Amino acid sequence: MKLCLSGMMLLAAGSAQALTPLPPCGGVEAGMRTGFPAQIAGTGIVVEEYRHNIVSHGDLAEADTPAAAALSGFNGLRITDCASGRMVAVPGQGRSYDAADALAATTFLREAAARKQPATAARMKQAVKAVLGKGIELRENAETCACNTYFPELRAKGMTPYKERNDLGQ
């Protein structure tokens, strides 16, 4: 009886390890495709790949209209301070995980990252400028999927919760 129970537990444990969770947040927010979110643990800052969304209609394709005209044709990263909704979109940058690591290592965010305490939007912008260069500053009035996933407690007052947004798509 013990052998049978042990065997069943081993099978159940083995199959659970084979399951890989789906990555959080991959879709369209306000006409821009987001994906591969990374967080700077404890700081309230997320980094995501961010690009102009192209919609396919059979043989035809057209671009969504992004919320900000400055983002027409954009391809790069979006760095967001979840507590304020302030963002910096940096064109032509690489992987979100690498950028998050580089930003966390700057003098502007290193202390907040080490203490796992929220950083300010001003510190985030300084770190982005130092590591990634000049970007397009934006302000969101709705919570992003990445902020909802990693820092739901930091949503600013008056900001629409992610689950109540009506500008989302796949």
Side-chain angles (χ1 to χ4, degrees):
M1 181 69 167
K2 286 183 184 178
L3 183 61
C4 185
L5 184 58
S6 296
M8 288 183 353
M9 289 177 66
L10 183 61
L11 281 174
S15 64
Q17 291 175 3
L19 297 176
T20 303
L22 292 173
C25 308
V28 177
E29 295 179 9
M32 298 295 289
R33 181 154 297 280
T34 64
F36 302 102
Q39 65 168 315
I40 302 175
T43 63
I45 296 171
V46 294
V47 181
E48 304 166 88
E49 292 181 15
Y50 196 55
R51 68 183 194 278
H52 200 165
N53 189 48
I54 303 298
V55 181
S56 177
H57 304 285
D59 291 340
L60 302 173
E62 66 182 57
D64 269 357
T65 304
L71 296 175
S72 182
F74 184 88
N75 187 20
L77 295 175
R78 168 174 82 173
I79 301 88
T80 306
D81 171 56
C82 295
S84 67
R86 294 187 183 273
M87 302 174 178
V88 180
V90 184
Q93 295 300 320
R95 294 170 24 113
S96 55
Y97 301 101
D98 295 339
D101 289 344
L103 292 169
T106 66
T107 58
F108 306 108
L109 297 178
R110 188 179 314 133
E111 189 175 315
R115 291 186 179 175
K116 295 201 181 337
Q117 67 185 46
T120 64
R123 291 291 219 173
M124 174 199 71
K125 288 192 268 184
Q126 289 173 311
V128 169
K129 187 174 182 183
V131 172
L132 303 171
K134 188 169 169 70
I136 303 164
E137 290 188 31
L138 306 165
R139 185 177 187 134
E140 182 64 83
N141 59 8
E143 183 181 39
T144 67
C145 179
C147 286
N148 179 262
T149 299
Y150 295 116
F151 303 107
E153 72 283 0
L154 294 181
R155 183 177 63 241
K157 287 183 180 178
M159 190 174 274
T160 303
Y162 177 74
K163 292 179 174 127
E164 294 177 18
R165 289 183 74 158
N166 60 7
D167 60 352
L168 304 173
Q170 287 300 319

